[in-house]
Amino acid sequence: MAPLIVIVGPTASGKTSLAIELAQKYNGEIICADSRTVYRYMDIGTAKPTKAEQALVPHHGIDLVEPGERFTVADFKTYTEQKIEEVRGRGHVPFLVGGTGLYIDAVLYDYKFGGRADESMRQKLENKSLDDLYNYCKTNNITIPENDKNKRYVIRAIEQHGSRPSRQNTPRQDAVIVGIATDKEVLRSRIAGRAEHLFEDGVVGEAKLLGEKYGWKSEAMTGNIYRLVHEFLQGAYDEAELKQRFVYSDWHLAKRQLTWLKRSSDITWLSLDDAKDYINAKLSPA
């Protein structure tokens, strides 16, 4: 049975290009573990693998739901476990790749989730602002989640408080888990460079269309670049400051991702080149 190759790391660490290169070499298929790329039409602002990249190897975990639709970590776990079996059934190698630590952990440690949330309580929470939800978390000693700009994640953290999902203490035995270690200055530079590409590719126009279609208060639109573009369109700041704020936001996202991932002693942290050699050794015949 082909191992499950898991490649994790912060945003802009280079994990996507590495996964594509290795998946091409070993007849692999990529399952994206990213809480933002599950949304349809949000292509530029989520730095989704391009159509050209997706054409190189099969990709899964992309364009699963409309912006505003609910998609939970439990949904992702069910979806991914099914895809892993399908990929192996075709005689291919599954690659699980991303930076959303909770998604990765749910699959690796077989999270078991509780029942559905109380709908009346959820409606009350959804009517609160993000700042109100942060204050609620602080008052009730609830840990604010990794993706703290996503209102749905904060609400789910409140709902799950006191009833954490159960999980295994060790990762699934079929997994090879690699983290991409990147120098901080190199990562900052990559984030800044990617910001320029996003604006060249038309992220402001994409955000404007999505905001008009789905509403700026849609869960998918409240995080990352889309929230900033909304403020920019309202005249809060000029384009130069918008870019600066996006780089700052993405840098802090990267730090939050690393904080989550670094908690695990089961990840082998390597540079991009060393990670390639390590995975090559795991997949090449003896």
Side-chain angles (χ1 to χ4, degrees), residues 273-286:
D273 288 340
D274 289 343
K276 184 194 301 186
D277 292 341
Y278 181 80
I279 297 171
N280 272 323
K282 294 291 184 180
L283 292 176
S284 297

Side-chain angles (χ1 to χ4, degrees), residues 113-214:
F113 298 93
R116 288 282 178 182
D118 180 88
E119 289 301 325
S120 62
M121 176 62 175
R122 169 166 288 161
Q123 189 60 52
K124 291 177 183 177
L125 294 172
E126 287 178 345
N127 289 334
K128 293 180 180 290
S129 69
L130 264 177
D131 285 338
D132 288 339
L133 293 174
Y134 295 154
N135 289 331
Y136 185 97
C137 288
K138 290 174 184 176
T139 302
N140 293 277
N141 197 30
I142 298 170
T143 301
I144 295 174
E146 168 195 345
N147 192 352
D148 62 346
K149 296 295 189 294
N150 188 317
K151 193 173 182 179
R152 173 170 55 85
Y153 272 57
V154 181
I155 290 172
R156 192 60 179 158
I158 293 170
E159 291 174 337
Q160 290 292 325
H161 184 58
S163 59
R164 303 291 185 193
S166 64
R167 49 164 282 173
Q168 295 179 356
N169 292 324
T170 55
R172 50 191 295 164
Q173 294 183 342
D174 61 347
V176 175
I177 312 167
V178 180
I180 305 303
T182 310
D183 176 82
K184 286 184 178 179
E185 292 309 311
V186 172
L187 190 58
R188 280 181 183 273
S189 177
R190 285 181 180 166
I191 288 172
R194 191 171 71 176
E196 288 298 328
H197 286 303
L198 258 61
F199 284 94
E200 290 169 4
D201 290 343
V203 70
V204 172
E206 176 184 86
K208 189 172 184 293
L209 287 173
L210 291 169
E212 290 171 353
K213 182 174 182 179
Y214 295 100

Side-chain angles (χ1 to χ4, degrees), residues 73-74 77 81 101-114 164-168 260 263:
V73 61
K77 177 177 181 283
E81 288 175 340
L102 183 59
Y103 279 21
I104 297 284
D105 284 357
V107 175
L108 287 179
Y109 298 97
D110 192 22
Y111 276 34
K112 302 297 185 187
F113 298 93
R164 303 291 185 193
S166 64
R167 49 164 282 173
Q168 295 179 356
W260 179 287
R263 298 184 310 175

Side-chain angles (χ1 to χ4, degrees), residues 15-266:
K15 56 188 179 293
T16 298
S17 58
L18 174 63
I20 290 173
E21 179 181 346
L22 291 169
Q24 284 184 289
K25 183 175 181 179
Y26 293 105
N27 206 17
E29 300 186 30
I30 294 172
I31 305 165
C32 296
D34 189 307
S35 62
R36 295 178 292 181
T37 59
V38 299
Y39 294 111
R40 299 186 188 106
Y41 319 119
M42 304 180 77
D43 300 330
I44 302 169
T46 63
K48 195 177 291 180
T50 65
K51 297 300 182 186
E53 288 173 325
Q54 293 182 46
L56 295 174
V57 296
H59 279 68
H60 310 283
I62 294 174
D63 299 338
L64 301 182
V65 293
E66 298 274 322
E69 282 187 65
R70 287 194 68 230
F71 187 82
T72 68
V73 61
D75 294 328
F76 178 80
K77 177 177 181 283
T78 300
Y79 172 87
T80 299
E81 288 175 340
Q82 178 181 336
K83 288 301 172 186
I84 290 170
E85 293 306 310
E86 290 176 5
V87 170
R88 284 177 169 157
R90 291 188 280 271
H92 295 175
V93 179
F95 285 76
L96 181 60
V97 184
T100 301
L102 183 59
Y103 279 21
I104 297 284
D105 284 357
V107 175
L108 287 179
Y109 298 97
D110 192 22
Y111 276 34
K112 302 297 185 187
F113 298 93
R116 288 282 178 182
D118 180 88
E119 289 301 325
S120 62
M121 176 62 175
R122 169 166 288 161
Q123 189 60 52
K124 291 177 183 177
L125 294 172
E126 287 178 345
N127 289 334
K128 293 180 180 290
S129 69
L130 264 177
D131 285 338
D132 288 339
L133 293 174
Y134 295 154
N135 289 331
Y136 185 97
C137 288
K138 290 174 184 176
T139 302
N140 293 277
N141 197 30
I142 298 170
T143 301
I144 295 174
E146 168 195 345
N147 192 352
D148 62 346
K149 296 295 189 294
N150 188 317
K151 193 173 182 179
R152 173 170 55 85
Y153 272 57
V154 181
I155 290 172
R156 192 60 179 158
I158 293 170
E159 291 174 337
Q160 290 292 325
H161 184 58
S163 59
R164 303 291 185 193
S166 64
R167 49 164 282 173
Q168 295 179 356
N169 292 324
T170 55
R172 50 191 295 164
Q173 294 183 342
D174 61 347
V176 175
I177 312 167
V178 180
I180 305 303
T182 310
D183 176 82
K184 286 184 178 179
E185 292 309 311
V186 172
L187 190 58
R188 280 181 183 273
S189 177
R190 285 181 180 166
I191 288 172
R194 191 171 71 176
E196 288 298 328
H197 286 303
L198 258 61
F199 284 94
E200 290 169 4
D201 290 343
V203 70
V204 172
E206 176 184 86
K208 189 172 184 293
L209 287 173
L210 291 169
E212 290 171 353
K213 182 174 182 179
Y214 295 100
W216 291 102
K217 292 184 179 180
S218 166
E219 291 173 356
M221 299 296 294
T222 57
N224 201 42
I225 186 64
Y226 299 105
R227 173 181 58 85
L228 295 174
V229 170
H230 185 211
E231 293 170 355
F232 162 73
L233 291 172
Q234 290 178 312
Y237 29 77
D238 60 21
E239 186 172 309
E241 186 176 353
L242 171 61
K243 291 180 180 180
Q244 290 176 350
R245 285 175 177 264
F246 172 65
V247 170
Y248 179 84
S249 174
D250 239 25
W251 171 243
H252 279 268
L253 170 63
K255 290 203 295 185
R256 290 195 302 273
Q257 289 172 324
L258 281 169
T259 296
W260 179 287
L261 295 168
K262 288 286 188 178
R263 298 184 310 175
S264 173
S265 60
D266 299 313

